Amino acid sequence: MRSKSDKKKSLVPRLRFPEFREAGAWEEKKIEDYFSVRSSKRVLQKDWKTHGVPFYRTRELVSLYNNEPFSSEIFISEELFSEIAKKYGFPSEGDFLVSGVGTLGICYQVKAKDKFYFKDGNVLWYKQNGGIVSSFFYYCFHSDQIQNQILGQASISTVGTYTIQNAKVTKFLCPTVEKEQQKIAHCLSSLDEVIGLQAKKVQALKQHKKGLMQQLFPAEGETTPRLRFPEFREAGAWEVKRLGEIVEELQDGNWIESKDQSSVGIRLIQTGNIGVGGFIQKNNNARYISEETFKRLNCTEIFPGDCLVSRLPNPVGRACIIPAIKERMITAVDCAIVRFDKNIVVPYIFILLSQTPAYLSVAESHAFGSTRKRISRGNLSKLKISIPSLPEQQKIAHCLSSLDEVIGLESHKLDALKNLKKGLMQQLFPQEVA
């Protein structure tokens, strides 16, 4: 059994600002000690409007939390809002809104300029009663202490929910000195500002690439791009060819049934493994087949540099290039294996097939099926695409791959900052709640 002194030690963070190192252990509190937890006054669907005061559900709350732009779909009238606000109140600065269904534990801190109402049942309202620094509680809420309790409480019910009663008794640890709360909040909010600036930098680079691609590749139905490198401005229109005309091989993947799969062996790449941007997603639940199955089914092995094209939606026709990795791989029948001829620069065609809207739109139009669309190998080979000369392909590929390198480096910096914050929070907050 843990002694009282051991328990007290567990209520002290591993990392503490110098002026608070002798301030003693943090105290265990419940959310209801500082907040009244409630929901909203029910608003009937017949009272929804197309303009007025925004009316938020969980999806809007998630967008607010992620600082993502969104357009309100539902409103209530100014008159109804005023009536509700007068009788029942409304979220004000320093209060918190917490998602109670769907994506659980998303917490939005209400700003001074906010004016909205929200859906009952979906969102919990923490109305602050005082006694705690609001910005400190925001970070405390996103620490492992509270998040683990939310997930644990939700797992008890059939449908994962975080209820008002559960919220009231959710425990957390709090320093007794208000200035320590303020110092922690200031430290983490300063880091959040840096993370936000880095995130904007990454997003700006991605938007720059998107705009650049729209100009470097011809629009749908055209054969000349709007933007061209100086040495190719007099080179004339790009040549329109069918996909089948520029390949050495175009074949279906292998038909692999569930009973033929295993947990180790030769990696099986399926259309779901092709991520946005044409990269093979890392997957802890990767599927494999045995060497014996590989031989028995006469499977086609795929190699670094091969191109896989998805025959299934989201979207149809998206491509990936097999990277230079050591493990052996095959692909399922929902992907086509494409090997291009010597007049095609593989990095160029990878960008065209994985990221250009014009190509993906054409591929989608060639898909068929009533319940689940797919594109046949025959229709895939008929897709028309515009191809410049080999030197121009190389120039475009080099330009965009260089930009991808910059985006990758800045994205790594963003990930590093997020990991820094995660590690910092694990040290600034005690890791146990009794």
Side-chain angles (χ1 to χ4, degrees), residues 13-83:
R14 284 175 288 172
L15 179 64
R16 210 163 187 183
F17 296 102
E19 61 267 42
F20 305 113
R21 286 174 185 161
E22 304 302 323
W26 289 23
E27 293 182 347
E28 183 178 290
K29 298 291 185 179
K30 295 178 181 177
I31 285 176
E32 64 181 353
D33 293 335
Y34 296 114
F35 300 90
S36 60
V37 185
R38 61 182 81 169
S39 188
S40 63
K41 172 65 177 174
R42 176 163 293 182
V43 175
L44 301 177
Q45 190 168 345
K46 67 181 181 64
D47 293 319
W48 292 359
K49 306 294 182 183
T50 56
H51 62 277
V53 178
F55 185 70
Y56 294 157
R57 299 154 296 177
T58 300
R59 71 182 72 173
E60 288 83 10
L61 179 64
V62 171
S63 295
L64 283 170
Y65 168 73
N66 290 322
N67 199 27
E68 298 171 343
F70 67 96
S71 299
S72 298
E73 297 178 0
I74 304 171
F75 299 82
I76 61 174
S77 67
E78 288 280 357
E79 294 76 15
L80 179 58
F81 177 77
S82 297
E83 179 184 334

Side-chain angles (χ1 to χ4, degrees), residues 9 69 95 97 102 110 139 169 186 197 214 224 329 352 415 433:
K9 287 180 182 178
D95 291 350
L97 297 181
V110 180
Y139 290 106
V169 298
H186 177 72
L197 289 172
Q214 288 173 345
T224 304
M329 290 180 286
L352 188 150
D415 290 338
V433 175

Side-chain angles (χ1 to χ4, degrees), residues 57-223:
R57 299 154 296 177
T58 300
R59 71 182 72 173
E60 288 83 10
L61 179 64
V62 171
S63 295
L64 283 170
Y65 168 73
N66 290 322
N67 199 27
E68 298 171 343
F70 67 96
S71 299
S72 298
E73 297 178 0
I74 304 171
F75 299 82
I76 61 174
S77 67
E78 288 280 357
E79 294 76 15
L80 179 58
F81 177 77
S82 297
E83 179 184 334
I84 291 173
K86 186 176 180 179
K87 289 184 178 180
Y88 307 100
F90 67 98
S92 55
E93 184 180 11
D95 291 350
F96 295 90
L97 297 181
V98 176
S99 58
V101 296
T103 305
L104 298 178
I106 293 296
C107 176
Y108 174 69
Q109 185 176 7
V110 180
K111 310 294 189 296
K113 64 180 181 178
D114 286 337
K115 183 181 178 182
F116 60 84
Y117 206 58
F118 62 98
K119 193 175 188 301
D120 65 292
N122 290 29
V123 179
L124 307 183
W125 175 13
Y126 292 13
K127 183 70 177 174
Q128 188 172 190
N129 297 326
I132 191 170
V133 175
S134 181
S135 52
F136 165 78
F137 179 77
Y138 172 80
Y139 290 106
C140 190
F141 190 90
H142 289 98
S143 68
D144 292 341
Q145 302 163 3
I146 289 183
Q147 291 296 313
N148 288 341
Q149 288 178 81
I150 291 174
L151 295 176
Q153 291 163 351
S155 65
I156 297 173
S157 60
T158 305
V159 179
T161 57
Y162 182 51
T163 66
I164 290 176
Q165 189 55 43
N166 285 341
K168 287 180 178 180
V169 298
T170 297
K171 300 174 183 179
F172 66 99
L173 300 175
C174 183
T176 57
V177 181
E178 187 174 292
K179 286 185 178 180
E180 187 171 8
Q181 298 177 27
Q182 292 170 336
K183 192 80 177 250
I184 292 170
H186 177 72
C187 170
L188 293 172
S189 62
S190 297
L191 184 53
D192 269 341
E193 288 180 14
V194 176
I195 291 172
L197 289 172
Q198 184 65 23
K200 287 180 180 179
K201 186 175 184 179
V202 172
Q203 187 59 33
L205 285 166
K206 289 180 178 179
Q207 286 298 115
H208 173 62
K209 179 187 174 184
K210 182 178 179 180
L212 189 60
M213 286 182 62
Q214 288 173 345
Q215 297 185 74
L216 284 175
F217 289 88
E220 187 174 350
E222 298 180 2
T223 56

Side-chain angles (χ1 to χ4, degrees), residues 414-429:
L414 178 59
D415 290 338
L417 285 167
K418 289 178 178 179
N419 287 331
L420 172 63
K421 178 186 172 183
K422 183 178 179 180
L424 189 58
M425 286 186 65
Q426 288 173 344
Q427 296 186 75
L428 285 174
F429 288 88

